[in-house]
Amino acid sequence: MRREQSQSLCVTDVEPDILSSLPGHIIDQILSLLPIKEAIKTSILSTKWRYKWATLPNLVFDSQCLSEGSDDLLAIKNKLSRIIDHVLLLHAGPIKKFKLSHRELVGVTDIDRWTLHLARRPVKEFVLEIWKGQRYKIPSCLFSCQGLVHLELFNCWIKPPSTFKGFRNLKSLDLQHVTLAQDAFENLISSCPLLERLTLMNFDGFSHLDIHAPNLQYFDIGGKFEDISFKNTSQLSVVSIGLYVNFESNQSRFHGCSSNLVEFLIHLPHIQRLEIQSYFLKYLALGVVPGMLPAPCTDLSFLSLRINFNDSKEISAALCLFRSSPNLRELEILARPEEQSVAHFWEDVYLDWPVMRVQHVRIDGICGIKPELDFIRLLLLYSPLLERLAVKPALNVKPDLTKELLRFRRASGRAEVIYLDSV
């Protein structure tokens, strides 16, 4: 009995466990779904798992790296630094992605050392988000990472070295809350020939946006700037622009018959989605707005406008876009009320309203004033393919607005008018 039992135990000892028998690519897939802290813990599962985490190609250091319970910022910083040092020291494979983003993270000198370590590896994605404190100056060694395909920086001061010739392989650039000199910005954009996606949010140091990017397809910007121009951007198909500062027409740098609207769209021949936010429509309305653009936006299918219905120039710019977009299918209008309202002769502004092929419309934030209602009335009257018009009013709007909307004639027999609750 003892001999048989001993043999049975011996056989059991040599049998592989389920975790150890998993194929390598399955283990890699499991580890890729875990936070880095949990991935390191798997080293205790078996001999086969012991150093598997050290070959992870994507290293993400965020709030999930640390256990909850510590409110000491210095302790959090020190613990996070130890974790990153430990991982980079033992990491044995290529690093495809490095992301550092923690809500308590401030710019520390350790970041310079980690960036230098990554600059010696073929890293493709680099994400650095500094959530607290002053803007962190990016170390010059980052600009030698020519393998970068995606770069994302938050709350950083960017000052490329004089020897920087651009990121030759970069396809995606996301800069938010950054400081960058005017010449450095222009050089950065123009020297990334493969750039396809560009995001700029809340920046300073430059105010003239000259975008020279032959492969750019997606552009999202929100901030304070004086002017914007595109050069060699015929591939741009998705554009979202928000100008976060109001200004008067007499502050424009344009004079005579110049039109910001024409200059803006002339270099976007294949635009498909256009979002005009904050005060950017006021910028586009500067100069002499034509009845139609020199070349129609034949690919434009979605248009979003934030508009002041008390500004006849903005209304004229919107109508010019409508007339120049024969294939527009979705329209979003967001009312932007101003403190000062000026009466206009709306009959002149709305002359020659175009017949539109729009199918779905959403209008948000209206108060029920006459210019808004005139806009909706003509939209319903000249949209024979309209299927749905959703209206969401601003707070404290008069209750009879619904009745006024339902009385408007509709060119489309299928048009459904939906009144959304403002709450």
Side-chain angles (χ1 to χ4, degrees), residues 71-207:
D71 295 328
D72 188 342
L73 298 183
L74 181 59
I76 292 175
K77 167 187 164 300
N78 291 336
K79 188 173 183 179
L80 183 63
S81 296
R82 288 196 301 270
I83 292 174
I84 298 175
D85 282 337
H86 177 75
V87 171
L88 293 181
L89 178 64
L90 297 180
H91 197 276
I95 299 176
K96 177 184 176 182
K97 175 181 179 179
F98 179 87
K99 179 177 180 179
L100 178 55
S101 174
H102 192 284
R103 288 291 177 179
E104 303 300 333
L105 181 65
V106 296
V108 292
T109 55
D110 291 334
I111 298 176
D112 285 17
R113 176 165 44 82
W114 300 328
T115 306
L116 179 60
H117 178 87
L118 294 168
R120 297 167 179 169
R121 313 283 286 273
V123 62
K124 293 185 179 298
E125 298 183 42
F126 185 88
V127 179
L128 177 60
E129 297 178 339
I130 307 295
W131 291 97
K132 290 191 173 183
Q134 297 180 344
R135 292 185 175 174
Y136 173 72
K137 184 180 179 181
I138 296 299
S140 58
C141 58
L142 178 65
F143 299 96
S144 65
C145 297
Q146 286 302 307
L148 279 178
V149 175
H150 174 77
L151 176 61
E152 188 172 337
L153 302 174
F154 185 94
N155 194 26
C156 294
W157 175 27
I158 306 170
K159 188 177 182 180
S162 58
T163 56
F164 177 63
K165 301 301 181 183
F167 294 112
R168 310 308 297 176
N169 295 295
L170 196 68
K171 292 186 177 181
S172 176
L173 178 62
D174 188 329
L175 304 177
Q176 301 191 40
H177 295 271
V178 298
T179 299
L180 183 63
Q182 180 71 50
D183 57 345
F185 167 75
E186 294 178 4
N187 180 61
L188 176 62
I189 302 304
S190 62
S191 59
C192 298
L194 301 183
L195 192 63
E196 297 176 356
R197 298 178 63 89
L198 176 59
T199 300
L200 299 171
M201 292 290 168
N202 297 302
F203 46 85
D204 57 61
F206 59 97
S207 58

Side-chain angles (χ1 to χ4, degrees), residues 246-264:
N246 197 357
F247 57 91
E248 299 298 329
S249 296
N250 58 12
Q251 294 177 316
S252 172
R253 65 184 180 92
F254 292 93
H255 302 281
C257 61
S258 298
S259 170
N260 282 9
L261 184 62
V262 174
E263 291 298 321
F264 174 74

Side-chain angles (χ1 to χ4, degrees), residues 362-364 388 390-393 418-423:
R362 180 184 173 100
I363 301 178
D364 281 11
R388 186 176 190 270
V391 178
K392 184 176 182 180
I418 301 174
Y419 190 84
L420 301 175
D421 196 341
S422 59
V423 179

